[in-house]
Structure formats: C-alpha cells, structure tokens
Amino acid sequence: MIDRRDLLRGALFGAGMSAFPKAVMASAARALDMGPVNGSEKLLFIFQRGGNDGVNTLIPDGDGTYGQVRSNELFIQNGLSLNGVNYSRLNPNLDRLVDIFNGDDLALIHRVGDPSMSRSHFKAMDMFEKAPEVDATQSEIAALSGFVPRMMTEAGVPYLGANNLPGAVSISPLMQAMFLAGSSSQVSAHVRDLTLTFTPGPFTDYGLPATSVQHAIDNAAAPALKGQLALNLGFGGLSQEGLLALGFAPGVFGSGLFPSFADFSAMQSSHPWYHVKPSTPVGGYFMATAEQALFTLANSPATRVAGIEIGGWDTHSNQDGTHTELLRWLGWGLRDLYDAIQAMPVDPKITIVVVTEFGRTNFENGSNGTDHGGGGLAMVIGNHVNGGTYNCRDGNQGTKEFGELWPALNPPQWTSPYEDAVPIETEFRDFIAELAHKVLGVPLTELWKVIPGYPANAQGFTDFLS
Amino acid sequence: MTRTATLALAVTGLCTFASPIVAQGTPDPLFDYAHHVARRVAYGPTNALITTLTSSPTGPDDYITAQLSPPNKATSTAVQYHGGQLIADLVNTAGPLLPQQLGDPVTALDLFYAQLGYAMFSEWQLRELMTQFWERHFNTGLYTRAPYFNQGSAIADNNYVFWFEWQANEYYREHGLGGDGTFYGLLRYTAKHATMMVYLNTVYNKVINPGDTPNEDWARECLELYTVSPEHRDANGNWVPNYSQADIEEASRMFTGWDLDPAASYAFEFNTNEHAYPSSGQPTVLLTDSGLPISIAAPIAPAGLQEGEDLLVELAKHPATAQFICRKLIAEFVNEQTVFSPTSTLLNDMMAVWGTAGDIPAVMGVLLSSPDFKRARTRFTRARLPLQAVAATARAFDSTMEYSGLYPVAENLNAPYWAMESMGHRLLLYPAPNGFPTSNDAQMSPSVALERAYYASNLISGDFPVPFMTDTLEINLEQFVASVQPQLPGSPTMANSVPHLLAVVDHMLTSLYGSNYTLADELRVLDAMLGVVNHIGPTFDIANNDDYKAVLEGAAIMAAGMVQSGLR
C-alpha cells in the first residue's frame, strides 16, 4: 500500500523533476523523512479581511424580501442548490464547494460575529482575533494578545516543538493579530509569502553563522520584545528539514542547500494541489499562502495552528465584479486545499476555518455596494464537521439545515433602511470556544483562560463540529 | 591563525588597550541625549549629526528647536526646502524621478525612492518623520482603486494613482509641520483630495433617486480613524464613546455630492443634485454620546457643501480629536506606556496648545521639550518601523548615493526598498485605512527581525541575490574607520592589528547605538571578524586590503544586525 510519504515523493520526484538540482530533491527528501504528522488535530484559519457579504455568499433564497433589498446588480438569481437544504442557495462562484458540502465536510454558518454588532473593521476584527470580554472597550482590546497563543497554552501546545518548529504560524505580510503574544512567552512564528523572500547571500559568504540573529534575544530591551524575538533562535537553530516543512526553505540562507527562487516557482507548479495559478495579485497571493500553510501543517508535527488571509472584501461600491472574483479565488483555493488533504494517505487532520469580521448591510447603497454591518458567514471544512447550513432556515427544515430561523432582510417594522443588518446568532466567542475545545482539546473548564469570562460549559456551541 | 589563538590575542588586546573597548556603558549624559534625539527626532544618528549635537550643552535642544521650523516652500530655494543638495538632486524638479503634472509617467518605485531618499538624506528629519506620520494617519491604498481613473484616457491608470499619492505626500511634507501646520488644514485637504475621495468612496457617495442611501465608507473612517476616534478618556479615566451609528449615517449624508471632476484633472467639485439635504431646517446635532455634541447648521440648496465643510471644522477642534492625535504622537515619539501614565501631564499639556485647528508645531514643541521625552527610561523603548530601520542603518555608516551625470542613481535605494518590502511595508500602498501598524508588537515578528539582519548584510556587502539589484548605496568602510585610533599599523600583522580591530568594533557599535551596547556585543562583533578570518582560511593576510575590507564588512554586518537596530 502506498503511503503518504511515497505519494509526495512521487509527486516531487516524478515526471518533470529531472530539471531540479540535486539540492532540491535532497532537501525535499529530508523534509519527507520527518514522517507523517503525529496525529494531532490542527487548525487553518483563513481571514477574509474587509467584511464579506454573507447574504450574497449563502443566499437566503427563501426570504421573500431578498429581492427587495438586493434589487439591482447585487441580486443573485442563479444560486446553487445544496443537498438537504431548502432555504438557501450557494453563490455560483463557489461552485467548487458544492461537492464538499454534499459530502458532509462543509459547514456554512450564517450570522457569526460580535454581539455588539460593531461596524468598525478594527474593533470587529479585534473581537474575533483577541476574543476579549464582551464589554471591553476598544482601547482595552487593543492592549490584549491574540487568542491563538492563549489557546495553544491551554491545549498544551509548545510554541517551539520538535525540530524547533513553531506551534503556530501566521503566513502573512504582518503577523496577524490573532497570533500576537503580547506579554506572553507563547510566541508564534511569522512567515511572509515566499514570493517576497530574497536570499541573504553574503550572510554566509562571510562565514557568519546562520544563528547570528540569536544575538537579538540576548539584549532585548523589554520582556515582550524578548519574547517576540525569541523565535529567532528557533529559526536560526532550525534544521533544514524544519525550514522546508515551514515552507520557508527555498533560498532562505543562500547556502546552496536550498533551491533558488526560480526552482521554487517550478516546484510550486508541480505540487499535486497546485493546479490553479491565479493571475491577479490577490488571488495569486492567496493561493500561494494557502499552499504554504498546507505544506507547513502537513509536514510539521509541531505546528498545530496556521493562519492566512485574503483581503479586498470591503465592497462599498461596485461590489459585483469584486465580490465575484474574490469568491472564485476563495472557492478554488478551498477546493485545492481540500483535494490535497484528501489525497494524503495519512489524514493530516486539518480543520479549515474561513471567517470575516462582519457581514454587510442588507440593502444596497446608492453606489452598487454594501456598507458594514451584521453577522458574517463562516465556513468550516474538515472531517469533524457536521456538514450543513446554520442559522439560515425556516420551519420547513431540510435534513442539512440547523440552528436558528432566518430573520427577514426587510421586515415591515423597519422604518429606515439604515437599520438593516442581520443579527448575530453565533457569537465569535462561542465559535472560537467550539474550535478550541473540539479541535485542539482545550478542556471546557479552561476555556475562560482562552476567552476571558467564558463559562465552563458547551451551552453556547453551535455544534458545527462533532 | 586558529580561532583560539586569535581570541587569545583579542583578550590580550582587551587587557592592554582598555580605552576603546570599555567605552560601552560609560555615562555621558550629553552624548546619550544626543543619540536619543538622533533616534527620535531624526531617522537615526550619523557621525556628523552626533558631532553637531554634542558640540555644545544645548546642542540637542537647539536641534529640536530648529527642526520644529522647517523652511517654507514658497520662500526657499530647492536645496533649502528639500534639505540638502543630494535630496534636491534626487527629487529635482527638472529631474526624471518624480512627476511634475498629472499624466507624467511615474511608478511606485519612484515614490518609494523619494520617501527613502528624504528619510536618509534630508536635513529636515523631523519634517520627514511627521510626513510619514500623516501618511500613515491619512493612509490611502489608492493602488486598489486604479480602475476609477480608467475613463477612456490614454494615460495609464497607475500614472494617476501615483501622481495623486505623490501630490498628497508632498502636501503632508509641506504642511504637516511647517507651512500651514494645522491639523484642520491636513484634514480638509485630505477630505477633498482624489487620493482619499477615491480610496474611501466619497466619489460614489450620491443620493439621486428615491431610496438611494449614502455610502458610509469615508464618514465612518473619518470619525473612527482620522478625527475623534471611537472613544476618549474622560477626566476620571473612564472611556467614553464618541459617536453612534446614527452619527455616521448623518455624517455620510453631509458628504453626499462631494465629487471629483475628471475634466479638471480630478479637482474637487460639489454636485448639489447628488446631495441629500436635511428634511428639516433644524441644525444637525452629532457626537451626543461624547458629552461634547457639535451642531451643524442646516444648509439651503444649493449650498449643501457647507455642512460637510462645517463638520470638518468642528471635528478638527473637538477635544476628542485633540486627545486622539496627541495620544498617537506620544506613542510615536515617546512610547505607548506614557500615553496615560498617571505621573505624566504630557497629554494634557499638548491638548492645551491644540487650539481650534490643531497647532502642530506647538503640540510637537510641548512634546519634544517634555520630561517624558527627555528622560533616560524613554530611550530604546520604541520599535523602529521598517522605514526607520532601513534608514537608520544606512545613516549610521554614512552611506551616500552614486551620481550618474546630474542625478543620483535612484536604484541605489533598492536594498532598503526591498528590505522594507520584506518587512511587510510598501510605502504609500498599505491597503487598509488604519495605516501601517506602529505598535512594538507589530514590528517585532521573527521574520522581520531576520529581514533586518539580511538587510544589513546586503547593504554593507553591496551583494544582492537578484540580478537587477546591481546598484547600491555607497558605504566606504575603510573611510568610515579611517579616524579610529589606534590606526591599522603600517606593516600589519594579526598580532599588531588587534588594538586597531578592537577600536573598530567600538567605533561601529558607538556609531550605531551610542553607549547602548555591552561587552557581549563587542565580543560578538569581534567573533564575526574571526569568522571572516577563518572563512578565508590559511591565505588570510590582514596586510591584503581585500582581506582587511572583508573583516570590516563582517564586523559591520554583525554590528548592524543586532537587536538594537530594531529599536529607537
């Protein structure tokens, strides 16, 4: 029986690989020799920054007022049917997700968000990424760490595990707020998109050790900085296997042991899951980082949480074209990730979580766009998912429809379209708690350490996970 | 020579020539304060600047006073205004780097080079810090809105995008500290300029047909990010919300009809038929939640422009705006801990001189003369932003630019540009309206720390991994250490060169970090020298100029890659 390692070896060393330098194959082989993951559950967060229009992503087709609020360019009439779902339709640009849904591996959870219904991007993002007390002020929230380091601590995940690989990694231009350690010593790694990484050739030409930067740790001025910088030691001390598993290997130290930038581009396109190569910056960036995140989670036993992001969802004007393109990239990327995971003979046990800071106003504004507001749509993909739609149904409940009833988008009691925004049903704090408990195994009694003030029970869970 | 033998010599040198190597930690209040001013009021020390600042006991404070009054553009020569011949040449009005009018070809790189050039070489360093402060405050990622400008013109979208970004950047440079020097002036310019109006959809904020609703984008961010902010802290230390959703909706309505005229180079225009006039003739009251409401008179058609204009005036003088901007300035120039320190009066002192329009030089004068700014424990508590980090390293080694004919070679700035890119910061193109994050946490991720070390390596060695980076800033390390005593002996051997090399170590660290380094730092730089010696191997000969230069480069890379390079 072919195992996962053999499959990857085949993919890497099969047809088309003869042009690769020996160093590429050697380092790839070393990474693969690390073996399959150790069986621990993992999380991959994909943050849609800007506020995705959930109403036009999972369309409440059964709501007769949908056509009233979305009467112009933003009315979508060809939504896709989903098995067991009566009330809603999926945006046609997410067509690649239909099979996943029908295979019970996709949960679409409507009206997820911050119960204060903040319409500020920055407060709403913080409400998810930092999981603060419900009544915390914006300034108090700004001073908090991200929830990921706290979640790792309570799940017993070290920030540096085997091979000095990090427990969590943010793959983004800047460290995402959910990974910031604050005063904690639980430091996440931060890896930029490989396509922007250049080799520091002369660093080793001069015989300087790759660990030179560990000096940074010795003299850090403040404990928090010291904590942040401590991971340099991890990077500096990483084995080549570790670097490759992080997706960080190509050319990082210019030592000749790693492939060049051009080699990496070729290697990238040969990956079994890299069959779509977007041409736009946003799509290309998303696909590249999604692949890097998967590569890291699948090959690094120590890494339990990764985070990437895709921006551009703040569609205040001329939403139609922008939203269409973004959903296509998202759908393609998610499908590629899913297919790659399915192709691995050893299940890497990755739960993919797509989340945004809020939804959009129900009514179109005067510029064919939508403004900030209301609950957003979250998507969760993985083997532990209770497939179905949530918080978007009526009394005629389909077999895959769960959660609360959908409120009309344009109820008669409203006197002003300004009031329009779908109310929250699944609070961010409950959403995070369910992931922390059911995926990473944080005990119910310890959830308050991850999410301040959280009760020691599962009563708030939506049960989108088994 | 073996590593052990050389280390032994080094230790001998430490004992014999104690003077240079124990300079670290030596208390010298004027020297330390001068370095602090060079890190906070400038983009880092240069040897010339430190010499100037330490030339008299009042040198640092005199420098601050001078920096608070940059030259007026209208009455200065180009060299005076830009702050030196080199930067004047780089952005020369007759030169090729920057556009002179709408439609001139211009690239993002041109804009980056200009920002880097100003930061590294302009004499008006505080003005440049303030320019970037306002750029971040009024951030526009206009690149994402390029299609707006594609209205049948033969001129490429991006020429418009970069022209308007440059125009706004120049305005903040001219008026963000000198010139008009008021917050109100900056706010009004931004609100009516193409960069912001396109970026945050003001140009789409129209109410024409029944049922049309205003576009909230600009009004929301104007209140949240640019003026009052969501909350202010009252005299009892309690956080008080400043506005409600209803305020945002009313403010959005007030800005309806604000537009640009493509036929007039995208100048501001007001379209009264796209403005949503209030239904009653009563004034509109906003910011009631703050406890300090403002009242805007109802306009009579077609004078609907006035209510948006009045709103900007009221927002600029609102105490919550003054507090918010002063908080940001304290966090930037002192540190985040000082903003609400119970022992500090700085925030109140700055707000007291805000006035009705936000007097920027007065506010900055209070800040930079305050005990909070001057005290020793403020030093090295702020993480450098990417631009500050790349500029400081180049300045510490007295970097210069090559000239090709009349003009500096802008591509010399490739190394710092790519380093900034690798640290996650594309100047003028940060995508979100809240601007590039400035907190310490946000600057200190592991990969950013690595990038700083790589940058030091690339900059000092002049060696780049990609083919198109063939130019680099000039750093003459031999000249940099020429005045170091004792000098390299006439017939150098490793044995008789150790005192010189130890003094070089000290000189490099002092130039970079003042007295903020330790014996361990010195030994690390020394170890880097030895690494080069061992890397070259048995043929190493310090009398060979190439070998000597390699040793200097190894030391400089290590010194510049240290943690202090990320702090200011």
Side-chain angles (χ1 to χ4, degrees), chain A residues 202 206 208, chain B residues 397 456-457 459-463 475 477-478 508 528-529 532 546-559:
Chain A
Y206 285 106
L208 301 183
Chain B
F397 286 100
S457 170
L459 180 75
I460 291 161
S461 69
D463 186 5
I475 295 178
L477 285 177
E478 290 158 282
M508 286 182 175
M529 289 179 162
V532 175
D546 286 345
D547 286 359
Y548 174 59
K549 189 178 169 192
V551 166
L552 295 181
E553 289 186 355
I557 290 169
M558 177 61 83

Side-chain angles (χ1 to χ4, degrees), chain A residues 119-120 122 137-139 190 192 199 202-203 205-206 215 218-219 228 232 253 316-317 365-367 372 418, chain B residues 201 213-215 217 220 224 231 239 249 421-422 434 444-447 449 457 461 465 521 524 535 553 562:
Chain A
R119 299 190 184 202
S120 158
F122 314 104
T137 65
Q138 188 149 331
S139 306
H190 170 218
R192 287 178 47 73
T199 58
F203 210 70
D205 288 350
Y206 285 106
H215 172 68
D218 298 342
N219 290 315
Q228 288 285 358
N232 284 320
F253 292 125
H316 284 280
S317 60
N365 60 25
S367 41
H372 307 178
Y418 289 139
Chain B
N201 293 293
T213 57
N215 187 308
D217 204 6
R220 175 182 301 282
E224 179 174 349
E231 302 160 337
W239 288 100
E249 290 162 5
E421 174 92 15
S422 296
N434 57 339
M444 301 306 267
S445 77
S447 62
S457 170
S461 69
D521 295 331
R524 285 179 184 280
H535 185 70
E553 289 186 355
M562 290 178 170

